[in-house]
Amino acid sequence: MTSRRTRDRLIQRLVEQGVSNQDVLDVIGNTPRHLFLDEALAHRAYEDTALPIGHGQTLSQPYIVARMTEILLGAAGNLERVLEVGTGSGYQTTVLAQLVSEVLSIERIKPLQDKARERIRMLGLRNVRFKHADGSLGWPDIGQFQGILSAAAPRSIPQSLLDQLAPDGVLVIPVGADTQYLTLVVREGDSDKFRTEKLEPVKFVPLLSGITR
Ligand code: SAH
């Protein structure tokens, strides 16, 4: 189930779907996705599908994790600090943490965050900070981020996330309700102008306000 061959098949599939960043492919190939699922579902971990993680939420499909990460890395210059909205299982967090200096991850459902924190600690990653909060407000006391990635879809992009983009910073976020598009937003230099590009259609859980204990 977790054999090299199974993981290589997943990577092959991602390549066929157009993922081309070798660092991203290597990290996904080396990240044990089965550890982010309950035991009953672990045997499906290397299928390229989203899977339930409880509380009505899902572990993102590997393709979408790869795509979002690749877009973020490709569009951003220097990625020191990345803000992630929607920790979920912590799988995307783990992929990101192997590619950038520091990940700050916000989740609104406390039990999901606790599990994710434990997994990431077990994997020995020390460059992740967690916050239990409504991520649509960003993480204002940290300052600005070169990269922001959201794993939950708002109907329109929250102003706080735009405000917290550093000069030339990049936001990758699904936007919409019934029909959603993966969207790339780049702050133009240190101006208050943003370039927005609608990429591909996607299906994400909604970005909700407030928190759950
Ligand atoms: N990439 C994650 C996918 C998580 S699904 C993974 O690989 O597991 C999206 C997550 O966003 C859910 O856990 C949901 O609870 C969370 N979420 C939704 N709205 C949020 C908000 N306003 N702030 C923080 N997290 C939010």
Side-chain angles (χ1 to χ4, degrees):
M1 157 222 348
T2 60
S3 70
R4 176 52 34 201
R5 204 149 57 88
T6 315
R7 292 193 198 184
D8 286 348
R9 257 202 307 269
L10 171 63
I11 297 307
Q12 188 51 42
R13 220 185 113 85
L14 299 182
V15 170
E16 283 161 15
Q17 288 175 282
V19 177
S20 63
N21 183 312
Q22 195 54 49
D23 293 336
V24 173
L25 291 167
D26 288 346
V27 164
I28 291 196
N30 290 321
T31 300
R33 191 169 183 255
H34 59 283
L35 299 183
F36 295 84
L37 290 161
D38 286 340
E39 253 170 65
L41 280 171
H43 66 287
R44 299 189 55 196
Y46 299 94
E47 292 175 19
D48 187 23
T49 57
L51 292 164
I53 53 173
H55 305 270
Q57 304 304 320
T58 53
L59 169 64
S60 307
Q61 181 192 2
Y63 166 74
I64 208 71
V65 171
R67 259 318 265 152
M68 289 178 82
T69 310
E70 169 172 271
I71 292 164
L72 187 76
L73 295 181
N78 175 23
L79 271 181
E80 294 272 308
R81 236 185 223 159
V82 173
L83 175 70
E84 179 189 40
V85 176
T87 316
S89 68
Y91 176 67
Q92 167 86 70
T93 322
T94 298
V95 168
L96 273 176
Q98 295 172 81
L99 291 160
V100 305
S101 311
E102 189 180 24
V103 181
L104 292 106
S105 189
I106 308 181
E107 171 57 55
R108 64 180 289 281
I109 302 177
K110 187 77 168 81
L112 285 180
Q113 177 176 55
D114 290 343
K115 271 200 203 168
R117 181 190 277 116
E118 179 58 21
R119 290 177 180 123
I120 287 168
R121 197 187 58 81
M122 265 174 37
L123 290 169
L125 290 165
R126 297 181 174 279
N127 58 339
V128 182
R129 274 197 267 169
F130 298 93
K131 179 170 168 144
H132 178 226
D134 177 351
S136 53
L137 306 173
W139 195 323
D141 32 332
I142 296 285
Q144 291 187 314
F145 299 90
Q146 284 102 27
I148 302 180
L149 189 153
S150 178
R155 282 168 183 267
S156 61
I157 300 175
Q159 185 60 40
S160 309
L161 297 184
L162 296 175
D163 291 344
Q164 288 169 42
L165 274 183
D168 300 311
V170 172
L171 166 65
V172 181
I173 186 167
V175 183
D178 294 338
T179 312
Q180 301 171 358
Y181 278 88
L182 193 59
T183 305
L184 168 66
V185 183
V186 182
R187 185 189 278 263
E188 295 185 351
D190 59 2
S191 75
D192 277 331
K193 286 207 204 109
F194 299 89
R195 185 168 57 76
T196 300
E197 206 178 316
K198 213 161 123 178
L199 306 169
E200 57 209 68
V202 286
K203 187 96 199 75
F204 275 83
V205 297
L207 185 80
L208 301 174
S209 54
I211 57 171
T212 304
R213 299 232 156 247

